[in-house]
Short mmCIF file of all heavy atoms in Angstrom, two decimals:
data_model
loop_
_atom_site.label_atom_id
_atom_site.label_comp_id
_atom_site.label_asym_id
_atom_site.label_seq_id
_atom_site.Cartn_x
_atom_site.Cartn_y
_atom_site.Cartn_z
N GLN A 1183 -34.85 -14.69 -94.72
CA GLN A 1183 -33.62 -13.88 -94.60
C GLN A 1183 -33.94 -12.48 -94.06
O GLN A 1183 -33.10 -11.86 -93.43
CB GLN A 1183 -32.95 -13.68 -95.98
CG GLN A 1183 -32.62 -14.95 -96.74
CD GLN A 1183 -31.44 -15.67 -96.15
OE1 GLN A 1183 -30.41 -15.06 -95.88
NE2 GLN A 1183 -31.60 -16.97 -95.92
N ARG A 1184 -35.16 -11.98 -94.37
CA ARG A 1184 -35.45 -10.60 -93.98
C ARG A 1184 -36.64 -10.47 -93.03
O ARG A 1184 -36.95 -9.37 -92.57
CB ARG A 1184 -35.67 -9.73 -95.22
CG ARG A 1184 -36.82 -10.14 -96.13
CD ARG A 1184 -37.02 -9.12 -97.24
NE ARG A 1184 -38.07 -9.50 -98.18
CZ ARG A 1184 -39.36 -9.35 -97.97
NH1 ARG A 1184 -39.79 -8.83 -96.82
NH2 ARG A 1184 -40.22 -9.72 -98.88
N LEU A 1185 -37.31 -11.58 -92.74
CA LEU A 1185 -38.48 -11.54 -91.84
C LEU A 1185 -38.30 -12.57 -90.74
O LEU A 1185 -37.65 -13.60 -90.95
CB LEU A 1185 -39.76 -11.89 -92.62
CG LEU A 1185 -40.33 -10.85 -93.58
CD1 LEU A 1185 -41.42 -11.49 -94.43
CD2 LEU A 1185 -40.89 -9.67 -92.80
N ASP A 1186 -38.96 -12.34 -89.60
CA ASP A 1186 -38.90 -13.29 -88.50
C ASP A 1186 -39.88 -14.43 -88.78
O ASP A 1186 -41.00 -14.47 -88.26
CB ASP A 1186 -39.26 -12.55 -87.20
CG ASP A 1186 -39.21 -13.47 -85.99
OD1 ASP A 1186 -38.63 -14.57 -86.12
OD2 ASP A 1186 -39.75 -13.09 -84.94
N THR A 1187 -39.47 -15.32 -89.70
CA THR A 1187 -40.33 -16.44 -90.09
C THR A 1187 -39.45 -17.61 -90.52
O THR A 1187 -38.23 -17.47 -90.61
CB THR A 1187 -41.30 -16.02 -91.22
OG1 THR A 1187 -42.27 -17.04 -91.40
CG2 THR A 1187 -40.59 -15.76 -92.54
N THR A 1188 -40.08 -18.75 -90.79
CA THR A 1188 -39.32 -19.92 -91.23
C THR A 1188 -40.08 -20.62 -92.35
O THR A 1188 -41.30 -20.48 -92.48
CB THR A 1188 -39.16 -20.95 -90.09
OG1 THR A 1188 -40.50 -21.34 -89.68
CG2 THR A 1188 -38.40 -20.39 -88.90
N ASP A 1189 -39.33 -21.40 -93.12
CA ASP A 1189 -39.94 -22.21 -94.18
C ASP A 1189 -40.99 -23.14 -93.56
O ASP A 1189 -42.10 -23.29 -94.09
CB ASP A 1189 -38.84 -23.02 -94.89
CG ASP A 1189 -39.41 -24.02 -95.87
OD1 ASP A 1189 -40.21 -23.61 -96.73
OD2 ASP A 1189 -39.06 -25.23 -95.78
N GLU A 1190 -40.65 -23.71 -92.41
CA GLU A 1190 -41.55 -24.67 -91.76
C GLU A 1190 -42.88 -23.99 -91.36
O GLU A 1190 -43.96 -24.52 -91.62
CB GLU A 1190 -40.83 -25.23 -90.52
CG GLU A 1190 -41.38 -26.57 -90.05
CD GLU A 1190 -42.27 -26.42 -88.83
OE1 GLU A 1190 -42.10 -25.42 -88.11
OE2 GLU A 1190 -43.16 -27.29 -88.62
N TRP A 1191 -42.82 -22.77 -90.80
CA TRP A 1191 -44.06 -22.08 -90.39
C TRP A 1191 -44.91 -21.79 -91.63
O TRP A 1191 -46.11 -22.07 -91.65
CB TRP A 1191 -43.74 -20.76 -89.65
CG TRP A 1191 -44.97 -20.16 -88.99
CD1 TRP A 1191 -45.35 -20.33 -87.69
CD2 TRP A 1191 -46.00 -19.37 -89.60
NE1 TRP A 1191 -46.55 -19.69 -87.46
CE2 TRP A 1191 -46.97 -19.08 -88.62
CE3 TRP A 1191 -46.22 -18.87 -90.89
CZ2 TRP A 1191 -48.12 -18.32 -88.85
CZ3 TRP A 1191 -47.37 -18.12 -91.13
CH2 TRP A 1191 -48.30 -17.85 -90.12
N ILE A 1192 -44.28 -21.24 -92.65
CA ILE A 1192 -45.07 -20.83 -93.83
C ILE A 1192 -45.70 -22.06 -94.48
O ILE A 1192 -46.89 -22.06 -94.81
CB ILE A 1192 -44.19 -20.07 -94.85
CG1 ILE A 1192 -43.56 -18.83 -94.20
CG2 ILE A 1192 -45.03 -19.65 -96.07
CD1 ILE A 1192 -42.48 -18.14 -95.06
N LEU A 1193 -44.91 -23.13 -94.65
CA LEU A 1193 -45.43 -24.33 -95.33
C LEU A 1193 -46.56 -24.97 -94.54
O LEU A 1193 -47.60 -25.34 -95.10
CB LEU A 1193 -44.27 -25.31 -95.53
CG LEU A 1193 -44.37 -26.29 -96.68
CD1 LEU A 1193 -44.74 -25.62 -97.99
CD2 LEU A 1193 -43.05 -27.03 -96.83
N THR A 1194 -46.39 -25.09 -93.23
CA THR A 1194 -47.44 -25.78 -92.46
C THR A 1194 -48.67 -24.90 -92.24
O THR A 1194 -49.79 -25.41 -92.21
CB THR A 1194 -46.92 -26.27 -91.09
OG1 THR A 1194 -46.33 -25.17 -90.41
CG2 THR A 1194 -45.92 -27.39 -91.22
N ARG A 1195 -48.49 -23.58 -92.11
CA ARG A 1195 -49.66 -22.70 -91.85
C ARG A 1195 -50.38 -22.28 -93.12
O ARG A 1195 -51.53 -21.84 -93.07
CB ARG A 1195 -49.24 -21.43 -91.09
CG ARG A 1195 -48.53 -21.65 -89.79
CD ARG A 1195 -49.31 -22.50 -88.81
NE ARG A 1195 -50.51 -21.85 -88.31
CZ ARG A 1195 -51.45 -22.46 -87.59
NH1 ARG A 1195 -51.33 -23.76 -87.30
NH2 ARG A 1195 -52.50 -21.81 -87.16
N THR A 1196 -49.69 -22.35 -94.29
CA THR A 1196 -50.32 -21.85 -95.52
C THR A 1196 -50.25 -22.82 -96.70
O THR A 1196 -51.00 -22.66 -97.66
CB THR A 1196 -49.66 -20.53 -95.99
OG1 THR A 1196 -48.34 -20.83 -96.48
CG2 THR A 1196 -49.56 -19.50 -94.88
N GLY A 1197 -49.31 -23.77 -96.68
CA GLY A 1197 -49.12 -24.67 -97.82
C GLY A 1197 -48.31 -24.03 -98.94
O GLY A 1197 -48.19 -24.60 -100.03
N ILE A 1198 -47.73 -22.85 -98.67
CA ILE A 1198 -46.98 -22.13 -99.71
C ILE A 1198 -45.48 -22.36 -99.55
O ILE A 1198 -44.94 -22.24 -98.44
CB ILE A 1198 -47.28 -20.61 -99.64
CG1 ILE A 1198 -48.77 -20.35 -99.91
CG2 ILE A 1198 -46.41 -19.83 -100.64
CD1 ILE A 1198 -49.23 -18.94 -99.57
N ALA A 1199 -44.80 -22.70 -100.67
CA ALA A 1199 -43.34 -22.87 -100.64
C ALA A 1199 -42.64 -21.79 -101.45
O ALA A 1199 -41.47 -21.50 -101.22
CB ALA A 1199 -42.97 -24.24 -101.20
N ASN A 1200 -43.36 -21.21 -102.41
CA ASN A 1200 -42.74 -20.28 -103.35
C ASN A 1200 -43.78 -19.30 -103.88
O ASN A 1200 -44.98 -19.60 -103.86
CB ASN A 1200 -42.19 -21.11 -104.53
CG ASN A 1200 -41.36 -20.27 -105.48
OD1 ASN A 1200 -40.26 -19.88 -105.15
ND2 ASN A 1200 -41.91 -19.98 -106.64
N ARG A 1201 -43.32 -18.15 -104.33
CA ARG A 1201 -44.19 -17.18 -105.01
C ARG A 1201 -43.31 -16.40 -105.98
O ARG A 1201 -42.08 -16.50 -105.92
CB ARG A 1201 -44.96 -16.25 -104.04
CG ARG A 1201 -44.22 -15.18 -103.34
CD ARG A 1201 -43.31 -15.64 -102.22
NE ARG A 1201 -44.00 -16.19 -101.05
CZ ARG A 1201 -43.55 -17.21 -100.33
NH1 ARG A 1201 -42.38 -17.81 -100.64
NH2 ARG A 1201 -44.16 -17.66 -99.28
N PHE A 1202 -43.92 -15.61 -106.87
CA PHE A 1202 -43.17 -14.83 -107.85
C PHE A 1202 -43.49 -13.35 -107.68
O PHE A 1202 -44.65 -13.00 -107.43
CB PHE A 1202 -43.53 -15.27 -109.28
CG PHE A 1202 -43.14 -16.69 -109.57
CD1 PHE A 1202 -43.99 -17.74 -109.26
CD2 PHE A 1202 -41.90 -16.98 -110.12
CE1 PHE A 1202 -43.62 -19.06 -109.51
CE2 PHE A 1202 -41.52 -18.29 -110.37
CZ PHE A 1202 -42.38 -19.33 -110.05
N PHE A 1203 -42.48 -12.50 -107.83
CA PHE A 1203 -42.69 -11.05 -107.74
C PHE A 1203 -42.36 -10.39 -109.09
O PHE A 1203 -41.35 -10.74 -109.73
CB PHE A 1203 -41.78 -10.43 -106.67
CG PHE A 1203 -42.20 -10.71 -105.24
CD1 PHE A 1203 -41.38 -10.36 -104.18
CD2 PHE A 1203 -43.42 -11.32 -104.93
CE1 PHE A 1203 -41.75 -10.62 -102.86
CE2 PHE A 1203 -43.80 -11.59 -103.62
CZ PHE A 1203 -42.96 -11.23 -102.58
N ALA A 1204 -43.20 -9.45 -109.46
CA ALA A 1204 -42.93 -8.66 -110.67
C ALA A 1204 -41.74 -7.74 -110.40
O ALA A 1204 -41.52 -7.31 -109.27
CB ALA A 1204 -44.17 -7.85 -111.03
N SER A 1205 -41.01 -7.44 -111.48
CA SER A 1205 -39.82 -6.59 -111.30
C SER A 1205 -40.15 -5.14 -111.62
O SER A 1205 -41.20 -4.83 -112.19
CB SER A 1205 -38.70 -7.09 -112.21
OG SER A 1205 -39.21 -7.31 -113.49
#
Side-chain angles (χ1 to χ4, degrees):
Q1183 304 287 312
R1184 60 174 177 80
L1185 287 169
D1186 181 15
T1187 191
T1188 60
D1189 172 52
E1190 202 258 336
W1191 191 96
I1192 302 170
L1193 206 50
T1194 53
R1195 303 304 292 170
T1196 70
I1198 298 167
N1200 188 72
R1201 73 287 292 143
F1202 296 87
F1203 286 172
S1205 47

